[in-house]
Amino acid sequence: QSTVSSGINAEYGHNHYSETVSDVKQSLLVSQPPQFEGQHTLADIMSTTKASLVGKLKLVLVNVKEFINTDITFANKPYFRGPFCVHDIKQGLVLKYVEHILSDVAEMGDNLPPSLLLVMARLCLDFQTNTISYLATLTEEMFPPDSSAVPELLSPTVPELAAIAGDTVQQVLTKYVNIKGLSISQMIHTSVKTRDWLSAVEPRNVRAAMKRVVEEITDLDIQIGALFEEGAVRGPNSDSSRRAHSHNGSRIASSKYKYTPSDTESSLLNKLFNDQVEIFGNIQFTKLSILTGVIKIGLKAFLESVRLRTFGKYGLQQVQVDVYYLREYLWRFVEEERLLNFLLEEVVSSAVDRCIDPVTMEPSVIMLLCEPS
C-alpha cells in the first residue's frame, strides 16, 4: 500500500510540475496567470516557480507522513519503516520527482521561448547548489529511517543528482546561446547579403542592422543579468581595459589598416575558426559567459558573410564604421575582450582582402560617424 501511495503522490507531483511549466510559458508569452501577476522580471518568475515546485513536494510529504504515525501499528515495524522512509519516500518520491524535473528540462526543445530556457536553467542551477540537498535533508528529518534501510542502494544518490542538475544547466544554456546566436547571425547575414557593397555610397552613419544587434545584446544583458551572476572578466581589469579600449578602437578604425596578427594571435585565431568547440564551447553559468557565446556566434557569421562578398571602396569603409560601432558597445558584454578585438579585426581584414579598391576611412571620421546623435 505504501508503494502505491508514494507512486500516486509522485504522479501528482509530476502533473503539478507540468502545469507549473505551462503557466510559466504562458506568463512569458501572453498575459500572466494569477500566480505570476505583477511579476515583471525573470528572477521573480523563477522564484515563484521554485517555491511552487518545492512547496507542492513538501505538502505531499506532510500527507504521506501519516504512514509513519506512531498510532499506526505496522508503522513501527522495522521491516516497514526502513524501506518506506528511504526507498519509497526519499528515493521513490523525492529524488524521482527531482529527476523527472531535470529530465524534462534537459529535453526541452528549441521551439520554446528562449526566456523559458533561461528560467529553467536557473532553476536547475539552484537545484544543483542547494535545493536537492535541502529536500534530501528535509526528507530525512521528516522520515527518519532505521537500521532496516539500505541507503547505499539508492540510485541516483544526492551528489549524483546534483551533478545531473549541473549537466542540465549546461545543456539548456547551450541551447539558449545557440538560439540567440542564430538569431543575431541571421540578422547580420541578411544585412550583408542584401546590400550592394560594390556600388555603396560614402558612409554617413552606422547601418541600422548594427544598431539592432547592439539593442538585442543589451536586452539580453538585462534578461540574463536578472538570473545569473556577472562572472569574471578574463584579461585586463576594468581600468586598463578602458584605457586599451580607445587604442583598440583606433586600430580598427585606422586608415592604414591591414591586419597582420602576431604568431600568438594567429594561433588563437586558427583555434577560434578551425575548432568548433571554441565557438560552440561549454558555457559557464555566468552572464558574461552566456553573452560572450552569443556574440561569438554572431561575429563568426559576420566574418563568414563578409568573406562571401566583394567590396568597393565605400563598401569597405562602411564595414569599418559598422565594426568600430560594434566594438564601442559590445566590449562591456564579453568576458575576454581580446577575442572580441580579434574577431572584429578579422572582419575588417577580410573586407580589405575582398575589396577592389581598398582605400580605408580616416579614424577621426569613423569616430565622428559613430558618435551618439
Side-chain angles (χ1 to χ4, degrees):
Q1 184 183 6
S2 64
T3 303
V4 173
S5 176
S6 62
I8 293 173
N9 280 294
E11 183 178 355
Y12 177 59
H14 295 174
N15 291 338
H16 174 72
Y17 163 75
S18 298
E19 293 170 358
T20 301
V21 172
S22 179
D23 288 341
V24 173
K25 187 191 303 184
Q26 182 183 352
S27 73
L28 295 171
L29 289 176
V30 204
S31 59
Q32 294 185 323
Q35 64 268 42
F36 296 111
E37 189 172 355
Q39 299 184 8
H40 302 294
T41 70
L42 295 183
D44 291 335
I45 293 175
M46 196 286 295
S47 296
T48 300
T49 302
K50 177 182 172 183
S52 176
L53 295 175
V54 173
K56 183 61 67 174
L57 181 58
K58 291 167 72 173
L59 180 60
V60 170
L61 290 176
V62 170
N63 290 336
V64 297
K65 198 176 190 310
E66 293 298 320
F67 281 95
I68 60 169
N69 193 308
T70 54
D71 296 337
I72 301 177
T73 304
F74 68 79
N76 297 310
K77 301 294 183 180
Y79 60 80
F80 170 82
R81 189 181 186 90
F84 177 72
C85 292
V86 175
H87 299 284
D88 289 343
I89 301 304
K90 185 177 180 180
Q91 175 70 45
L93 178 59
V94 176
L95 298 186
K96 286 297 182 183
Y97 175 68
V98 173
E99 191 174 22
H100 171 76
I101 292 174
L102 297 177
S103 175
D104 184 82
V105 173
E107 294 174 0
M108 284 184 167
D110 298 344
N111 58 328
L112 294 173
S115 52
L116 176 62
L117 295 178
L118 267 188
V119 169
M120 301 312 290
R122 179 67 226 196
L123 177 71
C124 292
L125 181 57
D126 278 12
F127 270 58
Q128 179 197 28
T129 54
N130 53 58
T131 304
I132 293 175
S133 59
Y134 164 74
L135 290 174
T137 301
L138 175 67
T139 305
E140 290 169 0
E141 293 174 350
M142 293 180 66
F143 299 86
D146 58 20
S147 58
S148 64
V150 190
E152 64 270 15
L153 295 180
L154 294 182
S155 178
T157 63
V158 171
E160 288 172 346
L161 201 55
I164 293 173
D167 292 340
T168 303
V169 179
Q170 184 68 245
Q171 292 177 48
V172 176
L173 287 182
T174 299
K175 288 179 186 177
Y176 176 84
V177 166
N178 288 339
I179 290 171
K180 285 300 182 180
L182 178 61
S183 176
I184 297 291
S185 297
Q186 290 174 335
M187 190 186 306
I188 293 175
H189 178 70
T190 300
S191 75
V192 174
K193 181 180 179 181
T194 57
R195 189 179 184 89
D196 184 357
W197 295 96
L198 270 174
S199 305
V201 298
E202 185 176 0
R204 289 290 178 262
N205 47 45
V206 179
R207 289 188 301 132
M210 299 298 104
K211 295 181 179 180
R212 288 199 301 272
V213 167
V214 171
E215 290 170 358
E216 177 71 13
I217 296 297
T218 303
D219 288 342
L220 296 184
D221 176 72
I222 296 172
Q223 291 183 24
I224 299 168
L227 293 170
F228 293 89
E229 295 180 357
E230 180 83 6
V233 175
R234 298 202 297 266
N237 61 32
S238 57
D239 290 337
S240 63
S241 179
R242 288 174 186 272
R243 288 195 296 271
H245 171 54
S246 175
H247 166 73
N248 288 323
S250 298
R251 179 180 176 184
I252 289 174
S254 173
S255 62
K256 298 179 180 179
Y257 184 88
K258 176 61 177 168
Y259 182 50
T260 53
S262 65
D263 291 340
T264 302
E265 292 174 348
S266 295
S267 175
L268 182 55
L269 281 171
N270 287 336
K271 181 181 180 183
L272 189 62
F273 297 121
N274 296 330
D275 186 355
Q276 191 179 28
V277 175
E278 182 64 28
I279 295 293
F280 303 99
N282 285 343
I283 306 299
Q284 303 301 311
F285 306 158
T286 65
K287 182 185 74 171
L288 285 179
S289 180
I290 298 169
L291 285 173
T292 298
V294 174
I295 290 171
K296 284 198 296 185
I297 294 174
L299 294 185
K300 172 69 171 175
F302 195 3
L303 174 60
E304 295 301 330
S305 298
V306 165
R307 286 173 170 172
L308 295 175
R309 309 299 293 176
T310 302
F311 296 83
K313 168 183 163 183
Y314 292 134
L316 167 63
Q317 293 181 3
Q318 183 66 64
V319 170
Q320 282 184 281
V321 172
D322 292 346
V323 164
Y324 183 83
Y325 179 83
L326 292 178
R327 172 68 182 83
E328 286 290 294
Y329 287 93
L330 295 185
W331 67 273
R332 57 181 61 84
F333 299 125
V334 296
E335 60 181 351
E336 189 166 7
E337 199 174 342
R338 287 191 314 153
L339 283 178
L340 175 67
N341 292 333
F342 292 157
L343 283 165
L344 291 174
E345 290 170 356
E346 185 70 2
V347 170
V348 177
S349 178
S350 294
V352 169
D353 292 339
R354 298 287 300 169
C355 183
I356 60 174
D357 184 18
V359 178
T360 54
M361 181 176 279
E362 289 292 333
S364 59
V365 179
I366 295 177
M367 294 176 190
L368 183 64
L369 292 177
C370 292
E371 286 182 357
S373 301

